[in-house]
Amino acid sequence: MRTVIADVETGGVLDTHPTIQLAALVVDESWHEIASFEQKIAFDVGRCDPEALALNHYDPEAWEDALAPHVVAAKFAAFVRPYADVKMVSKRPPFRPYAVAQLAGYNALTFDLPRIKALFGTSFFPCSFMVRDVLQRVLWHYDEQGGAPENFKLSTVAAAL
């Protein structure tokens, strides 16, 4: 099973803040990188939290070639299509088989997945909704082992583990 590790950057943490970048890395069962994707997304700077833009190193020149969200969704769908390893069956007759990609990420279940899904609107979402969320595993780890890091930022957790 190949896994698509995805990450979004945003213009803030609120649902009303736009998604400004999508990146992904595909790994095989041995965690070897086999493909990568990165695309900046066109957005309205006025809808963003300036602190979030600074944190994400926003530079208008870097976003000159940014694409509309629906175009990024189409490019991402084409990118993940060859890695669609999760077998599914449609819920409606004639119950046809199909496959989607396995997503993973850090805090992906509650942050990245909803934002990536939103890029697709009503279009077919080519990834499993059963995202592998590393943050959830980290929380279980500390439940099992006791203690906790100073905070649950990815950099802090990575250094602690």
Side-chain angles (χ1 to χ4, degrees):
M1 168 91 60
R2 294 164 296 185
T3 303
V4 179
I5 303 168
D7 185 42
V8 298
E9 299 303 335
T10 65
V13 297
L14 300 178
D15 291 341
T16 56
H17 292 136
T19 300
I20 66 172
Q21 186 175 14
L22 172 60
L25 186 68
V26 180
V27 295
D28 65 16
E29 299 85 359
S30 300
W31 292 93
H32 295 112
E33 178 182 340
I34 54 178
S36 63
F37 176 92
E38 186 278 329
Q39 182 61 61
K40 290 177 176 54
I41 303 169
F43 66 97
D44 177 1
V45 175
R47 292 184 48 222
C48 298
D49 176 346
E51 288 182 33
L53 292 180
L55 181 68
N56 289 318
H57 309 289
Y58 172 70
D59 175 2
E61 288 182 18
W63 263 260
E64 282 180 356
D65 296 326
L67 300 174
H70 73 280
V71 176
V72 174
K75 286 183 70 168
F76 187 67
F79 170 75
V80 301
R81 190 169 295 117
Y83 312 109
D85 294 340
V86 179
K87 306 299 182 208
M88 307 286 287
V89 176
S90 63
K91 293 180 182 178
R92 295 185 191 99
F95 306 109
R96 293 190 175 126
Y98 67 100
V100 293
Q102 179 60 64
L103 276 182
Y106 193 82
N107 197 24
L109 185 61
T110 60
F111 192 77
D112 300 271
L113 177 65
R115 287 179 171 275
I116 296 170
K117 283 176 23 184
L119 292 175
F120 283 83
T122 58
S123 298
F124 175 75
F125 185 64
C127 302
S128 172
F129 295 125
M130 300 297 233
V131 65
R132 303 301 188 254
D133 192 330
V134 177
L135 175 59
Q136 295 300 313
R137 180 62 191 111
V138 166
L139 294 171
W140 278 101
H141 169 80
Y142 283 107
D143 286 348
E144 295 161 352
Q145 303 299 318
E150 175 183 331
N151 59 55
F152 285 94
K153 291 180 182 177
L154 178 56
S155 57
T156 305
V157 170
L161 297 176

